[in-house]
Amino acid sequence: MTQGAGAPPTVTRRPEQRSRPGSPRRLHGAWPLAALAAVFTVAQLVLVRPVLGLGWDEIVYTSQVTTHHPAAFFSAPRSRGVSFLVAPVASWSDSTALLRVYLAVLSGLGLFLALRVWRGLFPTRVLVVAGAFFASLWVTLFYGPQAMPNYWVAIGALVAVGAYLRHRDDPAARGPLWAVVAGAALMAWMRPTDAVWVSLPLLVLAAVGRRPRFLAATVGGLLAGGVPWVIEAYVAFGGLSERLAEASRIQGGLGLHMAVDDQLRSLGGRALCRPCTGSMPHPVITLWWFVLPLLAVLGLVVAVRAGRALRTAVPLACAATAAVPYLFTIEYAAPRFLQPAYALLAIPVADALWYLVTAPRGKWRPAVRTVVALGLAGHLVVQLTVLVHTVDRSTAGREDWARTADGLHRLGVDPPCLITGHESIPIGYYTGCSSGATTGNNENITVAGILSTAKERPVAEITRTGSLPPRYARSWPVHRVEDYDIRIAPGSVDAPRG
């Protein structure tokens, strides 16, 4: 049929086309995320500093792949993911500074890739603010360049959740499914139990929504990252149930415990709050923790009104399940435990912040923008203040271990050697010795084993000054080094050096 003379021209509407991954439009849109990741990397190197010595947990993970230090005892709750992550550097170099730079660059790259998965789900400006909020938390800056698992669980969570939402928008695309596999595997590789908690809402949605491909991708990723941990359970711990039981014992017995107040106490910069006693930090330090869920709820309201509720509800649900075990099942706290929850909450929080600065009309807009700006500036000041305090305190503690190691060397305790007693794992690492414990969570040797070792190599028992040593070491000659009493097994070392 011919078109009438007065009729408007017929327009054929084509479906909206996505930009190809390598198109100039997509590359241009990724630049703000790349710039954010670069700033995050530089901030770690400037504020945390590559010269920061290795901490206790870092020593356990790193020593598994080094050739220049004996491997420390590897307890049941730990997973090998961090050890493999640091292996490209730690396997051939003993430079802590090089390892810090490597991890800072890697963490910046991880943040960029994780946020890039969310492109198209939220405007780039929202993703930049979300990334900036998460990256500016003192706990993120402090642990980004460290050999610890929680930041990487957070990155895996961002990838997996964002990829699920992309898959839901385009079920035929294969890229999001592979991203789900990668995100789930990264989480399970680092901390298998955390990976399961984060993935619970995704697994439920996949089952209810009858999405077998997504369900297979999620389960496949969890298995790919978690199977090595399960295999090790049978090889080294007698089975999976035995390893889980031992992990629960080491963590004080998992069950129904209120740890919300413990997490609040840790916000002042306590790397490990166990036992978590003492007064709460100043309210200025903890205020952001109470504002965070309010902004997240506002982000959900904004999303519902905009007709994209699921894009906000899913990360909120995964953030909630990620936080549950660390708020309600253990009797201690560490701020790094909640990093996956913070990363997922950052998306709706950023959406809410943009709403606050753009939605109000008339005379309210300048007032609201001023409040938001002042709030963000104050938040950044608080986070940087806590970070500086935490870095200084951590540096002092690790320098104390290094000075103690120098004192041990002057006493003739040189590798190969064995350190037992108080803080034997970090002091042993800094001294270049093996570490041993006859009791406690790191029990890995008997008294007979210690005495037998003393016949072949230097053995030193370390206690805090004035503390009672174990019975087997009470007759050993005692030396004062820093705040420690060091007892060296008779005949196990040559004459001390001056």
Side-chain angles (χ1 to χ4, degrees):
M1 180 180 297
T2 60
Q3 181 175 307
T10 301
V11 178
T12 303
R13 297 188 180 274
R14 297 181 179 179
E16 183 179 349
Q17 295 181 347
R18 294 180 179 270
S19 301
R20 295 189 303 274
S23 66
R25 181 179 178 182
R26 288 186 65 88
L27 292 176
H28 175 74
W31 273 112
L33 301 180
L36 170 67
V39 171
F40 174 51
T41 299
V42 172
Q44 294 174 68
L45 297 176
V46 172
L47 297 172
V48 182
R49 301 188 297 273
V51 295
L52 177 68
L54 294 183
W56 188 314
D57 292 288
E58 290 186 288
I59 286 169
V60 174
Y61 290 120
T62 303
S63 67
Q64 308 303 311
V65 293
T66 61
T67 57
H68 43 276
H69 288 281
F73 177 72
F74 203 81
S75 61
R78 302 185 187 276
S79 183
R80 302 279 174 175
V82 175
S83 299
F84 295 137
L85 186 74
V86 302
V89 171
S91 60
W92 59 272
S93 173
D94 63 353
S95 171
T96 301
L98 180 61
L99 182 62
R100 293 276 183 241
V101 172
Y102 163 74
L103 288 172
V105 172
L106 204 61
S107 61
L109 178 61
L111 181 64
F112 168 73
L113 294 176
L115 291 174
R116 200 165 186 264
V117 172
W118 289 78
R119 290 198 61 227
L121 299 171
F122 287 88
T124 300
R125 66 177 185 272
V126 171
L127 300 182
V128 170
V129 171
F133 168 76
F134 177 60
S136 65
L137 294 177
W138 76 261
V139 66
T140 306
L141 285 164
F142 184 64
Y143 286 107
Q146 296 199 46
M148 298 291 280
N150 310 88
Y151 173 83
W152 296 103
V153 176
I155 293 300
L158 278 175
V159 170
V161 175
Y164 162 74
L165 294 171
R166 293 182 71 90
H167 167 72
R168 183 178 174 277
D169 287 351
D170 189 1
R174 294 184 178 181
L177 287 177
W178 284 112
V180 169
V181 173
L186 178 60
M187 288 191 292
W189 197 34
M190 294 295 167
R191 291 185 74 90
T193 51
D194 284 16
V196 173
W197 280 102
V198 171
S199 302
L200 279 177
L202 301 181
L203 295 172
V204 171
L205 288 170
V208 172
R210 297 181 181 180
R211 296 179 180 272
R213 295 176 66 201
F214 175 77
L215 183 62
T218 306
V219 173
L222 293 175
L223 289 176
V227 162
W229 193 84
V230 175
I231 293 174
E232 186 180 43
Y234 286 94
V235 172
F237 296 92
L240 181 58
S241 60
E242 288 80 2
R243 184 170 195 175
L244 290 171
E246 176 65 5
S248 175
R249 183 194 68 78
I250 289 174
Q251 296 176 89
L254 299 180
L256 186 58
H257 304 292
M258 175 61 72
V260 175
D261 57 334
D262 293 341
Q263 283 292 341
L264 280 170
R265 287 187 177 90
S266 73
L267 292 178
R270 298 176 66 175
L272 181 63
C273 198
R274 185 179 188 182
C276 205
T277 56
S279 59
M280 289 285 182
H282 193 281
V284 171
I285 293 176
T286 59
L287 178 61
W288 72 273
W289 214 67
F290 296 98
V291 174
L292 187 64
L294 298 179
L295 288 174
V297 171
L298 175 60
L300 180 60
V301 172
V302 172
V304 170
R305 292 176 60 180
R308 47 178 172 79
L310 199 63
R311 293 184 181 181
T312 299
V314 173
L316 281 177
C318 291
T321 56
V324 162
Y326 295 114
L327 295 178
F328 304 110
T329 70
I330 61 176
E331 291 186 303
Y332 65 99
R336 60 186 172 86
F337 290 163
L338 295 181
Q339 279 187 283
Y342 297 150
L344 291 168
L345 287 174
I347 303 292
V349 165
D351 204 22
L353 289 173
W354 272 110
Y355 172 80
L356 288 174
V357 300
T358 58
R361 302 293 180 183
K363 63 179 182 180
W364 288 105
R365 174 173 285 188
V368 172
R369 288 183 172 181
T370 300
V371 170
V372 171
L374 290 175
L376 291 176
H379 173 71
L380 183 60
V381 170
V382 168
Q383 296 301 312
L384 293 180
T385 300
V386 175
L387 175 65
V388 170
H389 168 73
T390 305
V391 170
D392 290 344
R393 187 173 58 190
S394 299
T395 300
R398 296 169 196 191
E399 288 176 347
D400 182 56
W401 291 335
R403 288 192 298 269
T404 303
D406 291 339
L408 283 162
H409 290 155
R410 289 193 299 271
L411 292 171
V413 181
D414 294 312
C417 45
L418 173 65
I419 303 296
T420 64
H422 182 71
E423 297 186 331
S424 60
I425 287 179
I427 293 176
Y429 181 87
Y430 278 79
T431 311
C433 304
S434 300
S435 55
T438 58
T439 59
N441 296 335
N442 298 304
E443 180 181 348
N444 65 340
I445 196 170
T446 63
V447 172
I450 292 174
L451 297 177
S452 175
T453 302
K455 298 176 182 178
E456 303 173 353
R457 63 189 63 178
V459 173
E461 167 70 29
I462 299 178
T463 58
R464 280 289 185 186
T465 300
S467 298
L468 186 66
R471 187 178 301 275
Y472 65 82
R474 290 178 188 174
S475 62
W476 294 359
V478 61
H479 308 268
R480 175 71 60 83
V481 176
E482 297 298 320
D483 294 327
Y484 304 104
D485 285 340
I486 296 179
R487 291 171 171 82
I488 300 177
S492 64
V493 300
D494 297 328
R497 297 186 292 271

